Amino acid sequence: MTSAGRVTLLGYVLGWRLVRLLPERVAAWCFARAADLAHRRGGRGTARLRANLARVVPPGTDLDALTRSALRSYARYWMEVFRLQDLPTHRLVGAMRVLDEDRLRRAHATGRGVILALPHMGNWEQAGAWLVATGIPFTTVAERLRPEELFERFVRFRTALGMEVIPLTGGTQPPADLLAERLRAGGALCLLADRDLTSAGVAVTFFGATATMPPGPAALALRTGAILLPVTLWFDDDGWSARIHPEVGHTDIPTMTQRLADEFAAGIAAHPADWHMLQRIWPDPS
């Protein structure tokens, strides 16, 4: 392990241990202050976040204030992740508001398999824990992090919450085959789908410009007959919210992926500060 890897691992380990010991209000205050510091310092991630947000909000929006809010939202995500295993089930479920939840329940009841595709919004880890706690266990794919021990810790964390985690790379068999098996057995998948991690992305129009998004959700739906549902998430002052968008019809991969992009765009436009995208989405200069 490199020295940088050891520092990264130590930071996450301390986060998981120390943040869980702090009173929630103190932890929230500390993370908000850290977000404000990141905003003042700028930096590559902050600059990328601001550039991404500039594409999704109307002209004249106060980008400085929005970027600060988005960094605070991202900090809240991490604070909650570190504390999620200690969150009582009654709060995990009771503080979650899901609009059009009936779409999810009906889809799951068909036994065809369900793919929930979502962008990096709100707290997707909490949403996953809510899904398990309300009777829908699921499988997800995790990007392999470095150092390896950090990746293994995240897998253990998600497994403890009731999720099945398949590595994107380095597994015993291709993840697509395993995911297809789960769907054919009537299972559910949760897939982050607003950022392409490979060179096989599908070109979509996203906020008026060309971006690429992963073909996996659409490809798996077509391959298995599973129901594909876009989901968007956001924070509330006292909890979390999600929307289950209408089912994406089975047509072809480009058309279905564009539908996902359109639904994601609608959710992001409604809650831009809760879109945690600090990486490049659009290949053209911004």
Side-chain angles (χ1 to χ4, degrees), residues 30-185:
C30 291
F31 274 73
R33 298 293 80 73
D36 291 346
L37 178 61
H39 179 250
R40 289 195 298 270
R41 288 183 172 179
R44 182 177 300 177
T46 298
R48 175 51 52 194
L49 176 62
R50 182 187 178 100
N52 288 339
L53 290 172
R55 288 192 179 272
V56 310
V57 294
T61 299
D62 186 343
L63 282 176
D64 193 57
L66 178 59
T67 302
R68 180 172 177 266
S69 296
L71 287 169
R72 282 190 166 201
S73 176
Y74 190 42
R76 174 178 170 177
Y77 161 79
W78 279 111
M79 186 272 291
E80 292 182 350
V81 165
F82 290 140
R83 299 171 63 88
L84 190 55
Q85 287 173 283
D86 300 326
L87 191 68
T89 301
H90 70 83
R91 184 176 173 195
L92 174 75
V93 175
M96 181 70 167
R97 181 178 65 127
V98 181
L99 305 181
D100 299 309
E101 183 181 349
D102 59 307
R103 289 174 176 152
L104 168 63
R105 301 299 168 183
R106 288 199 305 267
H108 185 247
T110 66
R112 291 169 49 194
V114 180
I115 304 167
L116 301 175
L118 54 152
H120 290 75
M121 288 188 74
N123 189 337
W124 53 93
E125 308 282 1
Q126 178 276 335
W130 170 86
L131 194 64
V132 173
T134 58
I136 304 182
F138 68 91
T139 303
T140 190
V141 175
E143 180 181 0
R144 191 172 289 278
L145 304 173
R146 291 290 181 266
E148 182 70 16
E149 187 176 341
L150 178 60
F151 171 74
E152 292 171 355
R153 282 179 176 270
F154 267 101
V155 169
R156 290 196 296 271
F157 161 70
R158 289 171 175 142
T159 300
L161 294 173
M163 312 174 193
E164 180 189 24
V165 182
I166 295 173
L168 178 63
T169 58
T172 57
Q173 67 182 100
D177 292 344
L178 285 170
L179 296 175
E181 288 179 11
R182 302 300 184 267
L183 291 171
R184 292 191 180 104

Side-chain angles (χ1 to χ4, degrees), residues 3 27 77 79 83 88 101 125 192 198 201 213-214 232 261 270 273 281 283:
S3 57
Y77 161 79
M79 186 272 291
R83 299 171 63 88
E101 183 181 349
E125 308 282 1
L192 289 165
T198 71
M213 291 188 178
T232 52
I281 290 292

Side-chain angles (χ1 to χ4, degrees), residues 173-232:
Q173 67 182 100
D177 292 344
L178 285 170
L179 296 175
E181 288 179 11
R182 302 300 184 267
L183 291 171
R184 292 191 180 104
L189 306 182
C190 286
L191 301 175
L192 289 165
D194 58 340
R195 183 164 70 95
D196 179 35
L197 297 175
T198 71
S199 58
V202 177
V204 296
T205 300
F206 191 48
F207 288 102
T210 300
T212 58
M213 291 188 178
L220 283 165
L222 291 172
R223 178 177 173 182
T224 65
I227 296 170
L228 177 57
L229 293 175
V231 181
T232 52

Side-chain angles (χ1 to χ4, degrees), residues 222-264:
L222 291 172
R223 178 177 173 182
T224 65
I227 296 170
L228 177 57
L229 293 175
V231 181
T232 52
L233 310 165
W234 62 95
F235 286 122
D236 292 324
D237 290 340
D238 58 350
W240 312 270
S241 286
R243 180 181 295 278
I244 311 297
H245 294 260
E247 175 183 349
V248 175
H250 288 197
T251 52
D252 56 73
I253 291 174
T255 301
M256 294 169 70
T257 306
Q258 182 63 61
R259 268 288 311 281
L260 289 179
D262 293 343
E263 300 290 358
F264 292 167

